[in-house]
């Protein structure tokens, strides 16, 4: 197998290179944002740049990147564009800039939206240019750029400006290009179109779009490639065709045009398809286009076609061909009279039509309206090969898409894993197109939606598998032995050589299938490894996925492996096959089952695993072996590789998606079109739902009537009771319900809606019935004063329909979620709610808050492996809940026993739940009814208050409640207390009735299933758990009515969709009533490791983000309570009206300054350290030593002032820098009790959803902005700090970035050198923004800061030392307590004298920024304290050593390849 060539990575230019560029000089003269006096607009500048910089460099990405980054499009091109100055260079320059923005994944259309006037003119000119002849004004390369621009337009239909142009282009008038017979055929199929068509014929001026058909026809003949330019043009052209076919609005008209042009047939017959190297991607794209042209959908209605309907269409085509043959072509009689199943294969069609002449074939095709009629006595101009292929490809039997999917192996093989067109390397630059599906705004059908997600999920998993295989196999160092065999020179933790492999079972296929139902094999390995690794191998569980690998190395023993060279040829990899573990075999060859029993101890080191192979793959391999004489793959394996369990769930998720595609996917009607991206995006909003609920009980949501009134600004609130003393929560609110139909309304109607009635809310305070006399009977209450937008989110969540809540950082998303859950629980006690989050951490936070509300804990259930992290003694897992039920049952039966005793009833009523039920019915209820008859109202006279207490039958039982139970103040009050007591008793028996099932079901598994299906009302799980366990949940009969998703913008599209379908439909309908999604699409999206899937396929787009793009209404929370107002300003520009909660201004912690630091946030410029800025030891593994040292120095300074280390977190934008900072902390201060370690050192991406008081942020890059250009990452980075944010970066690079301007303009408004106040202690009394009374010191660079911190630390040590010395001179009684400390001090000094001190010179002694008196130095291990005596040099020793010590510069240890974990992080 040929190894793919390694693609080159695009190297970003450095700042100095940028400044030296001709483009940069022009930018500084004409359009750079920071230049005050700019030269006037000159069209010649655009012409020069285009010719000299873009065309001359053959559209080099580096040049285009520079231009785009300099804000050429925003500040020069579009700002000055008008029809008068429009030219070829102008058009092409704009297209290049827009394409570059899409490649970089940054918003491209914003500038056009701001100035839309000339866009229609511009777009028409682009079209004209794209349709120009190739040998004309525009070169093929330029036309490829135009094609790409058009493709981006078609993929941006959510932008009104673009959509208005595209709709004119692709609509019914484009059918003008069809041949008349074909046109008549299409209009006959859809009669309602004829009326529109007649109108179009009258308007000749609308005939322009027929150019599109000419465009298709012309392009179809450009597939005779000569140069790579032509190949790239063809690839981009087919990509555009695929994108037009995969969108319903464009497909509706375009599919017919494409079919009529026979583009596919022309392409499949071209030479390019048969070229192994050049045509590989082209033929893959063609296959995708073929798939979409024949997609199972009705183009006009948009309805998905069933398997039967597709078969009918196929039979109709064949029978119409047979009828035509019978009537007009006697030579085809045999064909016409044959059975359909006999003639619809490719072979039989070729057999019947192959012998015919070209003219006859043309006549057949024209009879079917595929070609124009052939004039009499004229020969056809078409090739016979083309005519035959046209008829055969149209009429051959197709394999159904679902059948293809079911026959597809789920495990990737070596052919897919290393195919660069399908699974690109980490160096994907975004330049070329790929044979990958795209996730954009709209999908054709649910089948299309699931299929695209299935393919992308499979390929993203394949990319991760490739990384794992390359890592494990190269660690094993396979070499060729002297005798031609394989010898392994290394070892890998995750892979082992196979000793023996045998296939032990191939089960018979099911009826109608041609692959075996099951294939099992035994793999034997020799575990001669360390015990803990042996345990890992022996711990492989059922369903874990492993990979079987064959290597045949050609390199001799001892050859070094080079990671930069192609992997396959180095290790000689031949085959990769997946398998699933069934279990390990014991001594007798039986599978050891997972269970409570301990595993048997096996002797020796040889272990055999029974594995399931993929039946589809096995069948394909065996067919290949038998038919083509290929070798048997299953006799060659010599390595087995396992993967980490967390990353290894891909097969279960793929099976879930495949099962969904095989079942009738029932999505609620009100959601169906929105999920596909069509129809009215607001149709699922509660205001348009037909089953809107008028009156809702808000339970404990409001704290007072004033809070309620403030929560509905602009509404008239009518309270049903006048007395202010009775206007206390809880409240029921009746809302004015509007018409649920989403019809367009006239302006007059809109005005009518704003009448008084539509704005009036009727509020009814009600009293929660007394629950009993015990303190724990009192309901738990909400204490949060929700804002009016939070109340709107809670109201929307309680109503049926789709609710989308956008929660910026610190706006209380979790509190809103918990209140919605609580309110649904109380309003609809019979309904069940499913909670889904992205991470276990978020689920646990949510659960902890739910437990604090008035929800009975027997109704809570937590599924998955995260429940052990819950910070509570209670266990909410399935088995934890079973144990709770059993324990609670015993407690309640004890209460029944006590009640029985207090009533003096003989017998054993508390034996079981059943006997307790009879006891309640015959003994308790009878006494209560008798009591009620004695004390209830008799006629007009009120009963005596004392009677309520006198006749009460349960005095003795409630003797342990706070006394007196009855207050004797009024009849009503005492009667309510008596009823509360009875409710308490009744609840005991109600719960026991619910727990009866646990008496009948004996096994823990059955009990846990019962809890899940019947008992639990609020069930929580992660989206991954839902995807993995869908099959089991559906099988159990799991049911739910509402879904609430937290962190919805961080969940993959498909993992958001699967939780909608964890239950079987009822009578063909989904029972789902509410779907609440809470997230923030302005923060980071789901993590996709491969750049190609992330950028090209847009796989990182969550369903939440897509809904926002489509225009689904959202509730935007608009008040944050996390950060200082000044810090909030750094990111609130990204949100609609994000303000601050009052406490952000009022609380002392927000109004007090940060001690020892002049500013609450600052951007600190860091120049190169020792000539080096960023470095990249591995791909995308960026490090910056100067910034890392500076960040750690500031951290140490803050800790020395008295800041608690756990209130400081250090963040960075790259993994390489994270490892470097951790290493420096380990060396400088990690084990020092005076300083310690920060709360976390991690990446911005990992820290999403968390916060800390003080954040130190390193941006690392000095050559290019890198992925911080994604504004979502910037928002996360800026919003993690509550009180202080200090950013270390190369200012000259980041301040020029257009996307980051709103934040960086605020940051650069403050000084760019660190301002510190060393003499101000922590905490300070200084107010934020006040001038300090202490002296401010300006730190100009990292060496100065490192030196300053070292001196500060030494001064602290000396003062501590001096303090201990003075203690020695105190009277004996006072010395005793200090003696121990002093002994330690002496011991420390003696040990230190035995050590040699290694000293780093930071900075070099020549550095002018350091004072002459104190040598500028820092010890390598500085500063560690007494826990590690060697860390702190004795003062005398330091002074003597410093003069002569010059050790390696600081980066010597840190710019190592940190992938092999740095010393300190191991």
């Amino acid at each position: 197998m040929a190894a793919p060539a390694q693609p080159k990575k695009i190297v970003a230019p450095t700042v100095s290179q940028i400044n030296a560029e001709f483009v940069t000089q022009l930018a500084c003269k004409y359009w750079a944002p920071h230049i005050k006096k700019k030269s006037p607009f000159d069209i010649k500048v655009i012409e020069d740049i285009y010719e000299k910089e873009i065309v001359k460099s053959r559209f080099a990405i580096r040049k285009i990147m520079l231009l785009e980054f300099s804000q050429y499009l925003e500040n020069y091109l579009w700002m000055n564009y008008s029809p008068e100055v429009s030219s070829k260079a102008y058009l092409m320059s704009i297209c290049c800039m827009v394409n570059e923005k899409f490649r970089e994944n940054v918003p491209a259309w914003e500038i056009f939206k701001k100035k839309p006037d000339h866009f229609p003119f511009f777009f028409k000119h682009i079209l004209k240019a794209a349709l120009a002849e190739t040998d004309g004004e525009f070169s093929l390369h330029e036309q490829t750029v135009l094609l790409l621009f058009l493709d981006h337009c078609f993929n941006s239909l959510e932008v009104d400006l673009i959509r208005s142009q595209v709709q004119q282009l692709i609509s019914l008038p484009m059918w003008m290009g069809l041949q008349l017979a074909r046109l008549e055929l299409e209009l006959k199929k859809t009669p309602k179109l004829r009326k529109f068509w007649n109108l179009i014929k009258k308007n000749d001026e609308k005939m322009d779009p027929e150019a599109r058909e000419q465009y298709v026809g012309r392009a179809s003949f450009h597939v005779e490639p000569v140069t790579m330019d032509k190949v790239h043009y063809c690839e981009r052209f087919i990509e555009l065709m695929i994108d037009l076919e995969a969108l319903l609005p464009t497909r509706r008209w375009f599919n017919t045009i494409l079919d009529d042009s026979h583009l596919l047939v022309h392409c499949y017959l071209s030479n390019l398809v048969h070229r192994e190297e050049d045509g590989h991607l082209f033929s893959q794209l063609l296959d995708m286009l073929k798939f979409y042209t024949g997609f199972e959908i009705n183009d006009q209605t948009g309805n998905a076609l069933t398997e039967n309907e597709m078969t009918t269409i196929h039979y109709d085509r064949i029978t119409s061909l047979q009828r035509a043959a019978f009537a007009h072509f006697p030579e085809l009689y045999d064909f016409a009279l044959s059975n359909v199943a006999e003639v619809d294969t490719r072979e039989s069609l070729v057999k019947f039509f192959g012998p015919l002449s070209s003219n006859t074939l043309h006549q057949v095709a024209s009879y079917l309206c595929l070609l124009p009629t052939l004039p009499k006595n004229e020969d056809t101009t078409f090739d016979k090969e083309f005519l035959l292929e046209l008829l055969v490809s149209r009429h051959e039997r197709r394999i159904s898409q679902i059948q293809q999917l079911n026959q597809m192996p789920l495990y990737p093989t070596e052919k897919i894993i290393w195919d660069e067109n399908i699974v690109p390397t980490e160096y994907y630059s975004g330049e070329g197109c790929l044979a990958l599906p795209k996730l954009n705004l709209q999908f054709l059908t649910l089948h299309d939606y699931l299929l695209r997600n299935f393919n992308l999920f499979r390929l993203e998993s394949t990319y991760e598998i490739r990384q794992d295989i390359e890592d494990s196999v190269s660690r094993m160092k396979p070499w060729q032995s002297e005798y031609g065999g394989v010898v392994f020179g290394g070892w890998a933790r995750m892979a082992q050589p196979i000793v023996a492999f045998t296939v032990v079972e191939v089960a018979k296929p099911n009826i109608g299938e041609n692959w075996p139902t099951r294939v099992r094999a035994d793999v034997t390995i020799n575990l001669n490894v360390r015990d803990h690794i042996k345990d890992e191998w022996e711990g492989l569980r059922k369903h874990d996925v492993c990979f079987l690998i064959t290597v045949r190395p050609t390199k001799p023993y001892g050859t070094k492996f080079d990671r930069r060279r192609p992997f396959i040829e180095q290790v000689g990899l031949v085959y990769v096959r997946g398998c699933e573990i069934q279990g390990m075999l014991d001594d007798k060859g039986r599978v050891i089952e997972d269970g409570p029993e301990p595993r048997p101890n096996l002797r020796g080191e040889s272990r055999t695993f029974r594995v399931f192979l993929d039946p589809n793959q096995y069948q394909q391999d065996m067919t290949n072996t038998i038919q083509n004489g290929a070798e048997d793959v299953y006799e060659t394996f010599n390595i087995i590789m396992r993967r980490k369990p967390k990353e290894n769930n891909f097969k279960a998720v793929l099976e879930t998606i495949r099962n969904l595609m095989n079942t009738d996917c029932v999505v609620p009607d009100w959601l169906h079109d929105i999920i596909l991206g069509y129809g009215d995006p607001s149709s699922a909003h509660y205001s348009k739902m037909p089953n809107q609920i008028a009156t809702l009980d808000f339970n404990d949501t409001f704290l007072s009537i004033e809070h309620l009134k403030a929560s509905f600004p602009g509404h008239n609130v009518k309270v049903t009771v006048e007395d202010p003393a009775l206007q206390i929560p809880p409240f029921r609110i009746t809302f004015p319900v509007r018409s649920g139909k989403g019809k367009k309304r006239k302006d007059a109607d809109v005005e009518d809606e704003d009448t008084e009635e539509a704005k009036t809310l009727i509020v009814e305070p009600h009293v929660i019935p007394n629950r009993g006399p015990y303190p724990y009977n009192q309901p738990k209450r909400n204490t949060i004063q929700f804002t009016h937008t939070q109340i709107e989110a809670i109201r929307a969540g309680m109503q049926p329909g789709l609710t989308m809540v956008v929660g910026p950082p610190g706006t209380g998303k979790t509190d809103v979620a918990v209140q919605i859950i609580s309110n649904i629980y109380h309003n609809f006690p019979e309904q069940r709610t499913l909670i889904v989050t992205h991470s276990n951490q978020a689920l646990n936070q949510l659960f902890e808050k739910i437990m604090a509300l008035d929800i009975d804990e027997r109704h809570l259930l937590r599924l998955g492996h995260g429940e052990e992290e819950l910070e509570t003694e209670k266990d909410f897992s399935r088995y934890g809940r079973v144990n709770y039920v059993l324990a609670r049952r015993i407690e309640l039966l004890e209460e029944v026993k006590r009640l029985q005793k207090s009533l003096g009833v003989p017998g054993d009523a508390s034996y079981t739940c059943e006997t307790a039920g009879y006891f309640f019915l015959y003994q308790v209820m009878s006494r209560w009814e008798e009591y009620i008859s004695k004390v209830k109202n008799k006629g007009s006279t009120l009963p005596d208050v004392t009677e309520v207490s006198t006749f009460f039958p349960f005095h003795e039982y409630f003797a342990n409640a706070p006394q007196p139970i009855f207050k004797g103040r009024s009849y009503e009050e005492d009667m309510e207390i008596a009823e509360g007591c009875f409710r308490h008793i009744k609840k005991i028996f109600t719960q026991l009735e619910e727990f009866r099932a646990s008496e009948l079901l004996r096994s823990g598994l059955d009990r846990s299933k019962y809890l899940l299906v019947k008992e639990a009302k609020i069930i929580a799980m992660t989206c991954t758990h839902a995807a993995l366990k869908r099959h089991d949940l559906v099988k159990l009969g799991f049911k739910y009515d509402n879904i609430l998703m937290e962190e919805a913008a961080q969940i993959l599209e498909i993992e958001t969709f699967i939780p909608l379908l964890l239950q079987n439909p009822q009578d063909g309908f989904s029972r789902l009533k509410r779907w609440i999604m809470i997230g923030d699409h302005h923060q980071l999206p789901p993590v996709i490791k491969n750049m190609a899937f992330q950028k090209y396929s847009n796989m990182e787009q969550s369903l939440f983000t897509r809904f926002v793009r489509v225009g689904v209404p959202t509730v935007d929370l608009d008040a944050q309570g996390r950060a200082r107002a000044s810090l909030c300003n750094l990111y609130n520009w990204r949100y609609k009206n994000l303000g601050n909660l009052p406490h952000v201004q009022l609380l002392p912690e927000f109004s007090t300054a940060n001690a020892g630091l002049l500013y609450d946030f600052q951007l600190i410029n860091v120049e190169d350290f020792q000539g080096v800025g960023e470095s990249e030891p591995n791909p995308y593994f960026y490090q910056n030593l100067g910034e890392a040292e500076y960040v750690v120095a500031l951290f140490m300074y803050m800790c020395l002032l008295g800041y608690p280390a756990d209130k400081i977190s250090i963040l960075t934008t790259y993994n390489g820098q994270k490892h470097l900072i951790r290493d420096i902390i380990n060396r400088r201060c990690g084990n020092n009790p005076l300083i310690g370690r920060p709360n976390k050192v991690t990446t911005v991406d990992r820290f999403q959803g968390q916060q800390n008081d003080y954040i130190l942020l390193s941006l690392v890059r000095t050559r290019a902005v890198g992925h911080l250009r994604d504004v979502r990452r910037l928002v996360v980075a800026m919003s993690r700090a509550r009180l202080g944010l200090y950013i270390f970066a190369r200012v000259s690079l980041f301040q020029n970035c257009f996307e980051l301007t709103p934040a960086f303009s605020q940051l650069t408004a403050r000084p760019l050198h660190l301002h510190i106040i060393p003499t101000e202690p922590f905490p300070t009394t200084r107010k934020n923004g006040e001038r300090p009374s202490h002296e401010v010191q300006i730190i100009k660079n990292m060496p100065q800061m490192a030196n300053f911190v070292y001196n500060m630390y030494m001064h602290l040590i000396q003062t501590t030392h001096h303090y201990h010395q003075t203690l020695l001179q105190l009277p004996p009684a006072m010395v005793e307590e200090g003696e121990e400390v002093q002994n330690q001090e002496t011991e420390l000094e003696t040990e230190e004298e035995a050590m040699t001190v290694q000293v780093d010179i930071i900075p070099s002694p020549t550095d002018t920024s350091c004072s002459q008196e104190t040598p500028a130095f820092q010890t390598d291990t500085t500063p560690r304290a007494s826990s590690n005596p060697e860390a702190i040099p004795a003062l005398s020793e330091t002074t003597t050593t410093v003069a002569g010590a010059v050790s390696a510069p600081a980066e010597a240890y840190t710019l190592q390849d940190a992938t092999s974990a740095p010393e300190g992080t191991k």
Side-chain angles (χ1 to χ4, degrees), residues 1229-1353:
C1229 58
N1231 299 327
N1232 188 330
L1234 274 179
I1235 297 171
R1237 294 174 185 278
N1239 173 285
K1240 273 203 177 137
V1241 177
T1242 187
T1243 58
V1244 170
D1245 298 44
R1246 287 265 176 200
F1247 205 66
Q1248 179 161 339
Q1250 301 172 60
Q1251 61 186 53
N1252 208 344
D1253 287 0
Y1254 307 96
I1255 297 290
L1256 312 181
L1257 174 64
S1258 163
L1259 299 186
V1260 188
R1261 302 300 297 276
T1262 56
R1263 289 169 177 268
V1265 172
H1267 63 197
L1268 192 71
R1269 203 170 168 192
D1270 185 337
V1271 179
R1272 297 170 298 186
R1273 189 166 278 103
L1274 177 82
V1275 168
V1276 174
M1278 298 291 144
S1279 59
R1280 299 305 97 201
R1282 294 181 67 246
L1283 306 173
L1285 174 66
Y1286 302 93
I1287 304 168
F1288 298 82
R1290 181 66 54 87
V1291 175
S1292 57
L1293 174 68
F1294 289 94
Q1295 71 180 6
N1296 284 333
C1297 184
F1298 177 69
E1299 289 76 22
L1300 310 183
T1301 308
F1304 274 81
S1305 58
Q1306 294 178 60
L1307 291 166
T1308 50
R1310 293 188 174 184
L1312 301 176
H1313 289 129
L1314 182 62
H1315 283 49
I1316 60 173
I1317 312 162
T1319 51
E1320 185 175 53
F1322 175 89
T1324 180
T1325 52
R1326 175 169 62 94
K1327 292 287 173 203
N1328 196 24
E1330 268 182 21
R1331 291 300 302 166
S1333 51
H1334 302 265
E1335 184 194 347
V1336 176
Q1337 189 165 341
I1338 298 171
I1339 303 289
K1340 295 202 173 145
N1341 54 29
M1342 182 275 288
Q1344 184 187 351
M1345 184 66 180
N1347 187 56
F1348 176 83
V1349 170
Y1350 175 71
N1351 290 333
M1352 182 177 174
Y1353 178 78

Side-chain angles (χ1 to χ4, degrees), residues 83 91 112 326 385 423 506 533 546 690 702 796 857 917 951 1003 1303 1406 1426:
L91 288 178
F112 297 96
F326 186 77
E385 189 186 13
V423 188
V506 180
I533 297 175
C546 290
F702 301 105
E857 69 169 271
F951 295 129
S1003 78
T1406 53
S1426 46

